[in-house]
Amino acid sequence: EDQVTQSPEALRLQEGESSSLNCSYTVSGLRGLFWYRQDPGKGPEFLFTLYSAGEEKEKERLKATLTKKESFLHITAPKPEDSATYLCAVQARAGGSYIPTFGRGTSLIVHP
Amino acid sequence: DGGITQSPKYLFRKEGQNVTLSCEQNLNHDAMYWYRQDPGQGLRLIYYSQIVNDFQKGDIAEGYSVSREKKESFPLTVTSAQKNPTAFYLCASSWGFAEAFFGQGTRLTVV
């Protein structure tokens, strides 16, 4: 069964303290891995798509990387406004279709 | 502005009542999805539709119904058979295997 596991569940950082979030997946034939940011009471906001092992994407203080078994979201010198829940998803097979299947997310709090 | 619009933002349901959540997109996406989000549970798939007039059950479809009469619209009805409907509901759409884009959600509360 296709599965997505995110760790840690929660992460507290001081402003400027770099760290990484993990997303491990088991899926037959990866069609895409996605990272989203979600603020409280709002819909997830798309950040990155990764398609193949070795691929990397960057946006401001965020950098996403992909291996054959997992993806990392690296946060460099975070600021309090980076506080949010970060969700990982993969395209998982459902019958003849592929459906975005999500992990439970990592709740990040950055203290000033 | 292209995007996904969900309405209402807040919805209150009485016991035994059916309620319908609206989802409209103008991104010309073929696929649309409904997810339910509970604290600590992540996003769980309720229903999805790949084309007009066709839809499939997700992992937690019991007590819900949908329709897809137009490409732009994918309304979700929470029926009285859904015994624990209080949750945050998210609608999304995508094209092919590309990333899904989400609406701002509807928070449903049973009163």
Side-chain angles (χ1 to χ4, degrees):
Chain A
E1 180 181 326
D2 296 335
Q3 194 168 2
V4 181
T5 304
Q6 292 188 247
S7 62
E9 290 186 11
L11 182 62
R12 293 177 180 268
L13 300 173
Q14 289 297 126
E15 184 172 2
E17 179 187 1
S18 301
S19 188
S20 296
L21 284 54
N22 178 264
C23 172
S24 63
Y25 61 91
T26 55
V27 61
S28 53
L30 183 69
R31 292 291 191 278
L33 184 141
F34 313 108
W35 282 99
Y36 292 83
R37 169 191 171 126
Q38 186 177 24
D39 292 301
K42 296 191 175 182
E45 174 190 347
F46 169 72
L47 294 173
F48 303 110
T49 300
L50 301 167
Y51 286 108
S52 57
E55 191 174 358
E56 299 182 352
K57 295 275 181 74
E58 283 190 71
K59 180 180 180 180
E60 296 181 354
R61 294 177 293 282
L62 300 177
K63 179 180 178 180
T65 62
L66 181 66
T67 72
K68 288 186 178 180
K69 295 183 178 180
E70 58 191 349
S71 177
F72 293 93
L73 185 65
H74 307 278
I75 303 177
T76 302
K79 297 182 178 181
E81 53 261 43
D82 294 322
S83 299
T85 295
Y86 290 85
L87 298 168
C88 171
V90 298
Q91 289 284 13
R93 180 177 284 276
S97 304
Y98 284 85
I99 305 300
T101 299
F102 285 80
R104 296 191 175 191
T106 293
S107 175
L108 173 66
I109 297 176
V110 181
H111 296 285
Chain B
D1 260 349
I4 300 176
T5 302
Q6 288 187 242
S7 62
K9 186 172 182 179
Y10 299 98
L11 186 58
F12 299 91
R13 193 194 93 166
K14 295 181 179 178
E15 295 285 347
Q17 187 180 42
N18 292 355
V19 291
T20 297
L21 284 59
S22 171
C23 178
E24 302 277 335
Q25 56 100 357
N26 61 3
L27 299 169
N28 200 33
H29 287 165
D30 287 317
M32 296 187 74
Y33 316 88
W34 275 105
Y35 292 90
R36 169 177 171 148
Q37 189 174 34
D38 297 281
Q41 292 284 337
L43 274 65
R44 292 184 290 167
L45 183 66
I46 305 173
Y47 269 98
Y48 65 97
S49 168
Q50 300 284 2
I51 57 172
V52 175
N53 293 321
D54 186 56
F55 48 82
Q56 305 297 328
K57 293 182 179 180
D59 301 320
I60 55 165
E62 184 176 351
Y64 301 97
S65 66
V66 294
S67 63
R68 187 86 186 276
E69 297 177 359
K70 298 187 300 182
K71 188 176 185 177
E72 302 79 17
S73 179
F74 192 39
L76 174 74
T77 297
V78 184
T79 75
S80 57
Q82 171 52 239
K83 297 308 178 186
N84 185 24
T86 295
F88 190 48
Y89 291 87
L90 288 160
C91 179
S93 71
S94 70
W95 183 86
F97 297 139
E99 61 276 2
F101 290 92
F102 284 83
Q104 287 302 295
T106 294
R107 186 165 299 281
L108 174 63
T109 304
V110 175
V111 296

